[in-house]
Amino acid sequence: RLALSPGVTLRASDRLSLSLAPAIDWTTNGWQYPAAPVVGGRPRYVVGRLDQTTVSLTTRIDLAFSPKLTLQLYAQPLASDGLFGEFKEVVSPRAARTADRVRLLAPGDRLVPADPSYRVGDLSANVVLRFEYRPGSALYAVWTQDRRATPGREAAFAPARDLIGVFGPPPPNTFLV
């Protein structure tokens, strides 16, 4: 696993703060579970190698209108690409040697799952308004939204394009007080 996650916080005034934390993460997992096809009336467990790249940008804005009234914004867009390969069937999960636990599946083997590789764009955002109406008593108004898109795998991984896709379908909105 290799991850880069620098961050910067800008304090524009006593009342306004902005934080940005871009990140990129490359992960390889040789034993990711994508499927358990049923063959002969029993499940056959399959694992595969997963190469995953995830790009994100965590953003926070804190604004104090007064000591009693504050607004906080959090947003994290991310794009992730996961590519599966090298499928293996688990044949002896408790074997002492790792090599004895699985058998490599050939590309035409009936246990090889339909391609479970994925590409996803996601945006999680929330806004919190806090009003302290009496010392020690506060009222919170919260709005949250999660957007998700699953672009096809036809083109190469392009995080910016995949993130733009999250703005297509109408998202679920949640309001809490």
Side-chain angles (χ1 to χ4, degrees), residues 53-90:
T53 302
T54 302
V55 177
S56 66
L57 175 65
T58 302
T59 305
R60 296 177 191 274
I61 299 173
D62 294 308
L63 176 61
F65 298 105
S66 73
K68 293 184 175 194
L69 183 63
T70 61
L71 182 71
Q72 297 175 317
L73 166 80
Y74 169 87
Q76 184 185 51
L78 71 83
S80 188
D81 182 66
L83 181 62
F84 274 91
E86 299 178 20
F87 294 103
K88 303 167 193 84
E89 178 188 11
V90 178

PDB file of all heavy atoms in Angstrom, residues 53-90:
ATOM      1  N   THR A  53      -7.039   1.979  -6.888  1.00  0.00           N
ATOM      2  CA  THR A  53      -6.538   3.351  -6.821  1.00  0.00           C
ATOM      3  C   THR A  53      -7.698   4.234  -6.391  1.00  0.00           C
ATOM      4  O   THR A  53      -8.777   4.170  -6.974  1.00  0.00           O
ATOM      5  CB  THR A  53      -6.015   3.823  -8.191  1.00  0.00           C
ATOM      6  OG1 THR A  53      -4.988   2.937  -8.632  1.00  0.00           O
ATOM      7  CG2 THR A  53      -5.474   5.245  -8.113  1.00  0.00           C
ATOM      8  N   THR A  54      -7.471   5.052  -5.358  1.00  0.00           N
ATOM      9  CA  THR A  54      -8.508   5.956  -4.873  1.00  0.00           C
ATOM     10  C   THR A  54      -7.925   7.358  -4.753  1.00  0.00           C
ATOM     11  O   THR A  54      -6.843   7.537  -4.204  1.00  0.00           O
ATOM     12  CB  THR A  54      -9.043   5.496  -3.501  1.00  0.00           C
ATOM     13  OG1 THR A  54      -9.556   4.168  -3.634  1.00  0.00           O
ATOM     14  CG2 THR A  54     -10.141   6.419  -2.999  1.00  0.00           C
ATOM     15  N   VAL A  55      -8.662   8.326  -5.291  1.00  0.00           N
ATOM     16  CA  VAL A  55      -8.274   9.742  -5.240  1.00  0.00           C
ATOM     17  C   VAL A  55      -9.393  10.490  -4.531  1.00  0.00           C
ATOM     18  O   VAL A  55     -10.568  10.272  -4.828  1.00  0.00           O
ATOM     19  CB  VAL A  55      -8.080  10.302  -6.669  1.00  0.00           C
ATOM     20  CG1 VAL A  55      -7.749  11.772  -6.627  1.00  0.00           C
ATOM     21  CG2 VAL A  55      -7.001   9.530  -7.404  1.00  0.00           C
ATOM     22  N   SER A  56      -9.036  11.357  -3.571  1.00  0.00           N
ATOM     23  CA  SER A  56     -10.064  12.106  -2.846  1.00  0.00           C
ATOM     24  C   SER A  56      -9.563  13.502  -2.493  1.00  0.00           C
ATOM     25  O   SER A  56      -8.364  13.785  -2.558  1.00  0.00           O
ATOM     26  CB  SER A  56     -10.477  11.365  -1.567  1.00  0.00           C
ATOM     27  OG  SER A  56      -9.407  11.320  -0.656  1.00  0.00           O
ATOM     28  N   LEU A  57     -10.500  14.346  -2.121  1.00  0.00           N
ATOM     29  CA  LEU A  57     -10.183  15.704  -1.666  1.00  0.00           C
ATOM     30  C   LEU A  57     -11.135  16.036  -0.516  1.00  0.00           C
ATOM     31  O   LEU A  57     -12.317  16.305  -0.733  1.00  0.00           O
ATOM     32  CB  LEU A  57     -10.346  16.734  -2.780  1.00  0.00           C
ATOM     33  CG  LEU A  57     -10.150  18.193  -2.359  1.00  0.00           C
ATOM     34  CD1 LEU A  57      -8.712  18.427  -1.918  1.00  0.00           C
ATOM     35  CD2 LEU A  57     -10.518  19.131  -3.497  1.00  0.00           C
ATOM     36  N   THR A  58     -10.621  15.990   0.711  1.00  0.00           N
ATOM     37  CA  THR A  58     -11.437  16.311   1.878  1.00  0.00           C
ATOM     38  C   THR A  58     -11.360  17.814   2.121  1.00  0.00           C
ATOM     39  O   THR A  58     -10.273  18.380   2.207  1.00  0.00           O
ATOM     40  CB  THR A  58     -10.942  15.536   3.106  1.00  0.00           C
ATOM     41  OG1 THR A  58     -10.986  14.144   2.812  1.00  0.00           O
ATOM     42  CG2 THR A  58     -11.814  15.833   4.320  1.00  0.00           C
ATOM     43  N   THR A  59     -12.532  18.443   2.206  1.00  0.00           N
ATOM     44  CA  THR A  59     -12.631  19.896   2.370  1.00  0.00           C
ATOM     45  C   THR A  59     -13.457  20.211   3.607  1.00  0.00           C
ATOM     46  O   THR A  59     -14.529  19.629   3.802  1.00  0.00           O
ATOM     47  CB  THR A  59     -13.308  20.518   1.134  1.00  0.00           C
ATOM     48  OG1 THR A  59     -12.600  20.123  -0.033  1.00  0.00           O
ATOM     49  CG2 THR A  59     -13.360  22.021   1.233  1.00  0.00           C
ATOM     50  N   ARG A  60     -12.949  21.130   4.411  1.00  0.00           N
ATOM     51  CA  ARG A  60     -13.682  21.590   5.597  1.00  0.00           C
ATOM     52  C   ARG A  60     -13.641  23.118   5.625  1.00  0.00           C
ATOM     53  O   ARG A  60     -12.591  23.711   5.413  1.00  0.00           O
ATOM     54  CB  ARG A  60     -13.045  21.071   6.881  1.00  0.00           C
ATOM     55  CG  ARG A  60     -13.080  19.592   7.046  1.00  0.00           C
ATOM     56  CD  ARG A  60     -12.359  19.180   8.333  1.00  0.00           C
ATOM     57  NE  ARG A  60     -12.146  17.761   8.385  1.00  0.00           N
ATOM     58  CZ  ARG A  60     -13.018  16.879   8.845  1.00  0.00           C
ATOM     59  NH1 ARG A  60     -14.172  17.292   9.309  1.00  0.00           N
ATOM     60  NH2 ARG A  60     -12.742  15.601   8.855  1.00  0.00           N
ATOM     61  N   ILE A  61     -14.789  23.703   5.910  1.00  0.00           N
ATOM     62  CA  ILE A  61     -14.883  25.150   6.089  1.00  0.00           C
ATOM     63  C   ILE A  61     -15.618  25.392   7.399  1.00  0.00           C
ATOM     64  O   ILE A  61     -16.691  24.832   7.630  1.00  0.00           O
ATOM     65  CB  ILE A  61     -15.643  25.831   4.926  1.00  0.00           C
ATOM     66  CG1 ILE A  61     -14.907  25.592   3.614  1.00  0.00           C
ATOM     67  CG2 ILE A  61     -15.811  27.317   5.201  1.00  0.00           C
ATOM     68  CD1 ILE A  61     -15.659  26.072   2.385  1.00  0.00           C
ATOM     69  N   ASP A  62     -15.012  26.203   8.262  1.00  0.00           N
ATOM     70  CA  ASP A  62     -15.625  26.586   9.530  1.00  0.00           C
ATOM     71  C   ASP A  62     -15.783  28.098   9.528  1.00  0.00           C
ATOM     72  O   ASP A  62     -14.809  28.822   9.328  1.00  0.00           O
ATOM     73  CB  ASP A  62     -14.752  26.168  10.715  1.00  0.00           C
ATOM     74  CG  ASP A  62     -14.652  24.660  10.847  1.00  0.00           C
ATOM     75  OD1 ASP A  62     -15.708  24.011  10.868  1.00  0.00           O
ATOM     76  OD2 ASP A  62     -13.522  24.151  10.938  1.00  0.00           O
ATOM     77  N   LEU A  63     -17.010  28.547   9.763  1.00  0.00           N
ATOM     78  CA  LEU A  63     -17.295  29.979   9.779  1.00  0.00           C
ATOM     79  C   LEU A  63     -18.076  30.309  11.051  1.00  0.00           C
ATOM     80  O   LEU A  63     -19.114  29.705  11.323  1.00  0.00           O
ATOM     81  CB  LEU A  63     -18.113  30.367   8.542  1.00  0.00           C
ATOM     82  CG  LEU A  63     -18.580  31.810   8.439  1.00  0.00           C
ATOM     83  CD1 LEU A  63     -17.384  32.767   8.407  1.00  0.00           C
ATOM     84  CD2 LEU A  63     -19.450  31.998   7.211  1.00  0.00           C
ATOM     85  N   ALA A  64     -17.564  31.243  11.813  1.00  0.00           N
ATOM     86  CA  ALA A  64     -18.242  31.690  13.036  1.00  0.00           C
ATOM     87  C   ALA A  64     -18.844  33.065  12.765  1.00  0.00           C
ATOM     88  O   ALA A  64     -18.131  34.039  12.559  1.00  0.00           O
ATOM     89  CB  ALA A  64     -17.258  31.760  14.193  1.00  0.00           C
ATOM     90  N   PHE A  65     -20.169  33.138  12.739  1.00  0.00           N
ATOM     91  CA  PHE A  65     -20.850  34.424  12.570  1.00  0.00           C
ATOM     92  C   PHE A  65     -20.766  35.217  13.868  1.00  0.00           C
ATOM     93  O   PHE A  65     -20.674  36.430  13.866  1.00  0.00           O
ATOM     94  CB  PHE A  65     -22.310  34.213  12.177  1.00  0.00           C
ATOM     95  CG  PHE A  65     -22.466  33.509  10.863  1.00  0.00           C
ATOM     96  CD1 PHE A  65     -22.838  32.170  10.810  1.00  0.00           C
ATOM     97  CD2 PHE A  65     -22.236  34.170   9.666  1.00  0.00           C
ATOM     98  CE1 PHE A  65     -22.990  31.518   9.606  1.00  0.00           C
ATOM     99  CE2 PHE A  65     -22.387  33.521   8.455  1.00  0.00           C
ATOM    100  CZ  PHE A  65     -22.760  32.191   8.423  1.00  0.00           C
ATOM    101  N   SER A  66     -20.814  34.465  14.973  1.00  0.00           N
ATOM    102  CA  SER A  66     -20.692  35.035  16.317  1.00  0.00           C
ATOM    103  C   SER A  66     -20.306  33.880  17.232  1.00  0.00           C
ATOM    104  O   SER A  66     -20.325  32.726  16.805  1.00  0.00           O
ATOM    105  CB  SER A  66     -22.026  35.657  16.756  1.00  0.00           C
ATOM    106  OG  SER A  66     -22.961  34.647  17.069  1.00  0.00           O
ATOM    107  N   PRO A  67     -19.985  34.145  18.490  1.00  0.00           N
ATOM    108  CA  PRO A  67     -19.681  33.027  19.387  1.00  0.00           C
ATOM    109  C   PRO A  67     -20.853  32.056  19.554  1.00  0.00           C
ATOM    110  O   PRO A  67     -20.656  30.904  19.897  1.00  0.00           O
ATOM    111  CB  PRO A  67     -19.341  33.710  20.714  1.00  0.00           C
ATOM    112  CG  PRO A  67     -18.869  35.074  20.332  1.00  0.00           C
ATOM    113  CD  PRO A  67     -19.691  35.442  19.125  1.00  0.00           C
ATOM    114  N   LYS A  68     -22.068  32.526  19.267  1.00  0.00           N
ATOM    115  CA  LYS A  68     -23.249  31.689  19.445  1.00  0.00           C
ATOM    116  C   LYS A  68     -23.756  31.047  18.159  1.00  0.00           C
ATOM    117  O   LYS A  68     -24.609  30.174  18.207  1.00  0.00           O
ATOM    118  CB  LYS A  68     -24.378  32.511  20.062  1.00  0.00           C
ATOM    119  CG  LYS A  68     -24.090  32.936  21.473  1.00  0.00           C
ATOM    120  CD  LYS A  68     -25.278  33.646  22.058  1.00  0.00           C
ATOM    121  CE  LYS A  68     -25.010  33.969  23.520  1.00  0.00           C
ATOM    122  NZ  LYS A  68     -26.216  34.347  24.213  1.00  0.00           N
ATOM    123  N   LEU A  69     -23.245  31.466  17.006  1.00  0.00           N
ATOM    124  CA  LEU A  69     -23.748  30.958  15.730  1.00  0.00           C
ATOM    125  C   LEU A  69     -22.576  30.593  14.819  1.00  0.00           C
ATOM    126  O   LEU A  69     -21.784  31.463  14.445  1.00  0.00           O
ATOM    127  CB  LEU A  69     -24.633  32.017  15.052  1.00  0.00           C
ATOM    128  CG  LEU A  69     -25.297  31.615  13.742  1.00  0.00           C
ATOM    129  CD1 LEU A  69     -26.270  30.454  13.964  1.00  0.00           C
ATOM    130  CD2 LEU A  69     -26.020  32.810  13.130  1.00  0.00           C
ATOM    131  N   THR A  70     -22.475  29.274  14.492  1.00  0.00           N
ATOM    132  CA  THR A  70     -21.391  28.806  13.631  1.00  0.00           C
ATOM    133  C   THR A  70     -21.945  27.938  12.506  1.00  0.00           C
ATOM    134  O   THR A  70     -23.026  27.341  12.626  1.00  0.00           O
ATOM    135  CB  THR A  70     -20.347  27.982  14.414  1.00  0.00           C
ATOM    136  OG1 THR A  70     -20.997  26.837  14.970  1.00  0.00           O
ATOM    137  CG2 THR A  70     -19.686  28.810  15.504  1.00  0.00           C
ATOM    138  N   LEU A  71     -21.177  27.873  11.426  1.00  0.00           N
ATOM    139  CA  LEU A  71     -21.523  27.064  10.264  1.00  0.00           C
ATOM    140  C   LEU A  71     -20.309  26.235   9.897  1.00  0.00           C
ATOM    141  O   LEU A  71     -19.194  26.764   9.794  1.00  0.00           O
ATOM    142  CB  LEU A  71     -21.921  27.967   9.090  1.00  0.00           C
ATOM    143  CG  LEU A  71     -22.366  27.264   7.814  1.00  0.00           C
ATOM    144  CD1 LEU A  71     -23.731  26.618   8.024  1.00  0.00           C
ATOM    145  CD2 LEU A  71     -22.428  28.251   6.669  1.00  0.00           C
ATOM    146  N   GLN A  72     -20.507  24.931   9.701  1.00  0.00           N
ATOM    147  CA  GLN A  72     -19.433  24.035   9.302  1.00  0.00           C
ATOM    148  C   GLN A  72     -19.843  23.281   8.052  1.00  0.00           C
ATOM    149  O   GLN A  72     -20.968  22.774   7.969  1.00  0.00           O
ATOM    150  CB  GLN A  72     -19.129  23.019  10.402  1.00  0.00           C
ATOM    151  CG  GLN A  72     -18.623  23.639  11.678  1.00  0.00           C
ATOM    152  CD  GLN A  72     -18.456  22.598  12.779  1.00  0.00           C
ATOM    153  OE1 GLN A  72     -19.311  21.742  12.967  1.00  0.00           O
ATOM    154  NE2 GLN A  72     -17.346  22.686  13.489  1.00  0.00           N
ATOM    155  N   LEU A  73     -18.917  23.202   7.091  1.00  0.00           N
ATOM    156  CA  LEU A  73     -19.138  22.465   5.852  1.00  0.00           C
ATOM    157  C   LEU A  73     -18.067  21.395   5.746  1.00  0.00           C
ATOM    158  O   LEU A  73     -16.887  21.663   5.997  1.00  0.00           O
ATOM    159  CB  LEU A  73     -19.038  23.385   4.638  1.00  0.00           C
ATOM    160  CG  LEU A  73     -18.913  22.676   3.293  1.00  0.00           C
ATOM    161  CD1 LEU A  73     -20.271  22.211   2.818  1.00  0.00           C
ATOM    162  CD2 LEU A  73     -18.256  23.558   2.268  1.00  0.00           C
ATOM    163  N   TYR A  74     -18.483  20.193   5.389  1.00  0.00           N
ATOM    164  CA  TYR A  74     -17.562  19.089   5.130  1.00  0.00           C
ATOM    165  C   TYR A  74     -17.952  18.486   3.799  1.00  0.00           C
ATOM    166  O   TYR A  74     -19.132  18.211   3.553  1.00  0.00           O
ATOM    167  CB  TYR A  74     -17.674  18.022   6.227  1.00  0.00           C
ATOM    168  CG  TYR A  74     -16.955  16.740   5.878  1.00  0.00           C
ATOM    169  CD1 TYR A  74     -15.607  16.580   6.164  1.00  0.00           C
ATOM    170  CD2 TYR A  74     -17.620  15.692   5.257  1.00  0.00           C
ATOM    171  CE1 TYR A  74     -14.940  15.419   5.843  1.00  0.00           C
ATOM    172  CE2 TYR A  74     -16.965  14.524   4.930  1.00  0.00           C
ATOM    173  CZ  TYR A  74     -15.629  14.391   5.220  1.00  0.00           C
ATOM    174  OH  TYR A  74     -14.969  13.233   4.889  1.00  0.00           O
ATOM    175  N   ALA A  75     -16.993  18.275   2.915  1.00  0.00           N
ATOM    176  CA  ALA A  75     -17.261  17.628   1.633  1.00  0.00           C
ATOM    177  C   ALA A  75     -16.075  16.741   1.277  1.00  0.00           C
ATOM    178  O   ALA A  75     -14.921  17.145   1.453  1.00  0.00           O
ATOM    179  CB  ALA A  75     -17.498  18.659   0.542  1.00  0.00           C
ATOM    180  N   GLN A  76     -16.368  15.545   0.781  1.00  0.00           N
ATOM    181  CA  GLN A  76     -15.302  14.660   0.339  1.00  0.00           C
ATOM    182  C   GLN A  76     -15.713  13.975  -0.961  1.00  0.00           C
ATOM    183  O   GLN A  76     -16.427  12.990  -0.968  1.00  0.00           O
ATOM    184  CB  GLN A  76     -14.970  13.594   1.373  1.00  0.00           C
ATOM    185  CG  GLN A  76     -13.775  12.742   0.927  1.00  0.00           C
ATOM    186  CD  GLN A  76     -13.491  11.604   1.864  1.00  0.00           C
ATOM    187  OE1 GLN A  76     -14.377  10.840   2.206  1.00  0.00           O
ATOM    188  NE2 GLN A  76     -12.239  11.493   2.264  1.00  0.00           N
ATOM    189  N   PRO A  77     -15.244  14.539  -2.082  1.00  0.00           N
ATOM    190  CA  PRO A  77     -15.408  13.813  -3.337  1.00  0.00           C
ATOM    191  C   PRO A  77     -14.303  12.769  -3.450  1.00  0.00           C
ATOM    192  O   PRO A  77     -13.175  12.999  -3.001  1.00  0.00           O
ATOM    193  CB  PRO A  77     -15.255  14.911  -4.393  1.00  0.00           C
ATOM    194  CG  PRO A  77     -14.400  15.941  -3.736  1.00  0.00           C
ATOM    195  CD  PRO A  77     -14.688  15.861  -2.274  1.00  0.00           C
ATOM    196  N   LEU A  78     -14.639  11.607  -4.014  1.00  0.00           N
ATOM    197  CA  LEU A  78     -13.609  10.613  -4.254  1.00  0.00           C
ATOM    198  C   LEU A  78     -13.954   9.806  -5.494  1.00  0.00           C
ATOM    199  O   LEU A  78     -15.107   9.691  -5.881  1.00  0.00           O
ATOM    200  CB  LEU A  78     -13.381   9.701  -3.044  1.00  0.00           C
ATOM    201  CG  LEU A  78     -14.426   8.665  -2.642  1.00  0.00           C
ATOM    202  CD1 LEU A  78     -14.300   7.389  -3.448  1.00  0.00           C
ATOM    203  CD2 LEU A  78     -14.263   8.328  -1.186  1.00  0.00           C
ATOM    204  N   ALA A  79     -12.918   9.292  -6.112  1.00  0.00           N
ATOM    205  CA  ALA A  79     -13.064   8.402  -7.253  1.00  0.00           C
ATOM    206  C   ALA A  79     -12.183   7.201  -6.976  1.00  0.00           C
ATOM    207  O   ALA A  79     -11.051   7.337  -6.511  1.00  0.00           O
ATOM    208  CB  ALA A  79     -12.644   9.099  -8.542  1.00  0.00           C
ATOM    209  N   SER A  80     -12.713   6.014  -7.232  1.00  0.00           N
ATOM    210  CA  SER A  80     -11.970   4.799  -6.947  1.00  0.00           C
ATOM    211  C   SER A  80     -12.100   3.831  -8.111  1.00  0.00           C
ATOM    212  O   SER A  80     -13.168   3.721  -8.732  1.00  0.00           O
ATOM    213  CB  SER A  80     -12.496   4.144  -5.660  1.00  0.00           C
ATOM    214  OG  SER A  80     -11.672   3.074  -5.272  1.00  0.00           O
ATOM    215  N   ASP A  81     -11.003   3.143  -8.392  1.00  0.00           N
ATOM    216  CA  ASP A  81     -10.950   2.178  -9.486  1.00  0.00           C
ATOM    217  C   ASP A  81     -10.374   0.885  -8.927  1.00  0.00           C
ATOM    218  O   ASP A  81      -9.289   0.898  -8.330  1.00  0.00           O
ATOM    219  CB  ASP A  81     -10.051   2.720 -10.600  1.00  0.00           C
ATOM    220  CG  ASP A  81      -9.974   1.794 -11.793  1.00  0.00           C
ATOM    221  OD1 ASP A  81     -11.009   1.626 -12.455  1.00  0.00           O
ATOM    222  OD2 ASP A  81      -8.889   1.239 -12.058  1.00  0.00           O
ATOM    223  N   GLY A  82     -11.109  -0.210  -9.064  1.00  0.00           N
ATOM    224  CA  GLY A  82     -10.633  -1.503  -8.567  1.00  0.00           C
ATOM    225  C   GLY A  82     -10.615  -2.518  -9.692  1.00  0.00           C
ATOM    226  O   GLY A  82     -11.627  -2.743 -10.353  1.00  0.00           O
ATOM    227  N   LEU A  83      -9.469  -3.117  -9.909  1.00  0.00           N
ATOM    228  CA  LEU A  83      -9.290  -4.083 -10.991  1.00  0.00           C
ATOM    229  C   LEU A  83      -8.959  -5.448 -10.390  1.00  0.00           C
ATOM    230  O   LEU A  83      -7.963  -5.597  -9.678  1.00  0.00           O
ATOM    231  CB  LEU A  83      -8.169  -3.621 -11.924  1.00  0.00           C
ATOM    232  CG  LEU A  83      -7.875  -4.494 -13.122  1.00  0.00           C
ATOM    233  CD1 LEU A  83      -9.097  -4.578 -14.035  1.00  0.00           C
ATOM    234  CD2 LEU A  83      -6.684  -3.944 -13.896  1.00  0.00           C
ATOM    235  N   PHE A  84      -9.802  -6.451 -10.676  1.00  0.00           N
ATOM    236  CA  PHE A  84      -9.603  -7.811 -10.178  1.00  0.00           C
ATOM    237  C   PHE A  84      -8.862  -8.668 -11.196  1.00  0.00           C
ATOM    238  O   PHE A  84      -8.993  -8.466 -12.401  1.00  0.00           O
ATOM    239  CB  PHE A  84     -10.953  -8.485  -9.893  1.00  0.00           C
ATOM    240  CG  PHE A  84     -11.501  -8.210  -8.536  1.00  0.00           C
ATOM    241  CD1 PHE A  84     -12.350  -7.134  -8.329  1.00  0.00           C
ATOM    242  CD2 PHE A  84     -11.186  -9.026  -7.461  1.00  0.00           C
ATOM    243  CE1 PHE A  84     -12.876  -6.876  -7.078  1.00  0.00           C
ATOM    244  CE2 PHE A  84     -11.705  -8.773  -6.206  1.00  0.00           C
ATOM    245  CZ  PHE A  84     -12.554  -7.705  -6.014  1.00  0.00           C
ATOM    246  N   GLY A  85      -8.138  -9.644 -10.708  1.00  0.00           N
ATOM    247  CA  GLY A  85      -7.460 -10.622 -11.553  1.00  0.00           C
ATOM    248  C   GLY A  85      -6.917 -11.752 -10.700  1.00  0.00           C
ATOM    249  O   GLY A  85      -7.080 -11.768  -9.479  1.00  0.00           O
ATOM    250  N   GLU A  86      -6.248 -12.721 -11.323  1.00  0.00           N
ATOM    251  CA  GLU A  86      -5.622 -13.853 -10.635  1.00  0.00           C
ATOM    252  C   GLU A  86      -6.568 -14.520  -9.640  1.00  0.00           C
ATOM    253  O   GLU A  86      -6.297 -14.598  -8.446  1.00  0.00           O
ATOM    254  CB  GLU A  86      -4.336 -13.418  -9.925  1.00  0.00           C
ATOM    255  CG  GLU A  86      -3.275 -12.882 -10.843  1.00  0.00           C
ATOM    256  CD  GLU A  86      -2.029 -12.425 -10.087  1.00  0.00           C
ATOM    257  OE1 GLU A  86      -1.822 -12.857  -8.933  1.00  0.00           O
ATOM    258  OE2 GLU A  86      -1.278 -11.641 -10.668  1.00  0.00           O
ATOM    259  N   PHE A  87      -7.674 -15.060 -10.150  1.00  0.00           N
ATOM    260  CA  PHE A  87      -8.658 -15.688  -9.275  1.00  0.00           C
ATOM    261  C   PHE A  87      -8.184 -17.053  -8.794  1.00  0.00           C
ATOM    262  O   PHE A  87      -7.535 -17.798  -9.528  1.00  0.00           O
ATOM    263  CB  PHE A  87     -10.002 -15.816  -9.996  1.00  0.00           C
ATOM    264  CG  PHE A  87     -10.627 -14.492 -10.284  1.00  0.00           C
ATOM    265  CD1 PHE A  87     -10.587 -13.948 -11.560  1.00  0.00           C
ATOM    266  CD2 PHE A  87     -11.226 -13.769  -9.267  1.00  0.00           C
ATOM    267  CE1 PHE A  87     -11.144 -12.717 -11.820  1.00  0.00           C
ATOM    268  CE2 PHE A  87     -11.788 -12.535  -9.524  1.00  0.00           C
ATOM    269  CZ  PHE A  87     -11.745 -12.012 -10.799  1.00  0.00           C
ATOM    270  N   LYS A  88      -8.522 -17.370  -7.539  1.00  0.00           N
ATOM    271  CA  LYS A  88      -8.145 -18.635  -6.922  1.00  0.00           C
ATOM    272  C   LYS A  88      -9.351 -19.179  -6.165  1.00  0.00           C
ATOM    273  O   LYS A  88     -10.125 -18.421  -5.597  1.00  0.00           O
ATOM    274  CB  LYS A  88      -6.992 -18.428  -5.934  1.00  0.00           C
ATOM    275  CG  LYS A  88      -5.746 -17.805  -6.521  1.00  0.00           C
ATOM    276  CD  LYS A  88      -4.816 -17.351  -5.392  1.00  0.00           C
ATOM    277  CE  LYS A  88      -3.721 -16.459  -5.897  1.00  0.00           C
ATOM    278  NZ  LYS A  88      -4.113 -15.062  -6.028  1.00  0.00           N
ATOM    279  N   GLU A  89      -9.478 -20.499  -6.140  1.00  0.00           N
ATOM    280  CA  GLU A  89     -10.514 -21.126  -5.331  1.00  0.00           C
ATOM    281  C   GLU A  89      -9.900 -21.512  -3.990  1.00  0.00           C
ATOM    282  O   GLU A  89      -8.798 -22.060  -3.931  1.00  0.00           O
ATOM    283  CB  GLU A  89     -11.054 -22.377  -6.012  1.00  0.00           C
ATOM    284  CG  GLU A  89     -12.095 -23.081  -5.165  1.00  0.00           C
ATOM    285  CD  GLU A  89     -12.529 -24.427  -5.716  1.00  0.00           C
ATOM    286  OE1 GLU A  89     -11.893 -24.942  -6.652  1.00  0.00           O
ATOM    287  OE2 GLU A  89     -13.518 -24.963  -5.182  1.00  0.00           O
ATOM    288  N   VAL A  90     -10.629 -21.247  -2.916  1.00  0.00           N
ATOM    289  CA  VAL A  90     -10.184 -21.648  -1.589  1.00  0.00           C
ATOM    290  C   VAL A  90     -10.512 -23.138  -1.452  1.00  0.00           C
ATOM    291  O   VAL A  90     -11.674 -23.527  -1.461  1.00  0.00           O
ATOM    292  CB  VAL A  90     -10.869 -20.819  -0.484  1.00  0.00           C
ATOM    293  CG1 VAL A  90     -10.427 -21.297   0.893  1.00  0.00           C
ATOM    294  CG2 VAL A  90     -10.589 -19.344  -0.675  1.00  0.00           C
TER     295      VAL A  90
END
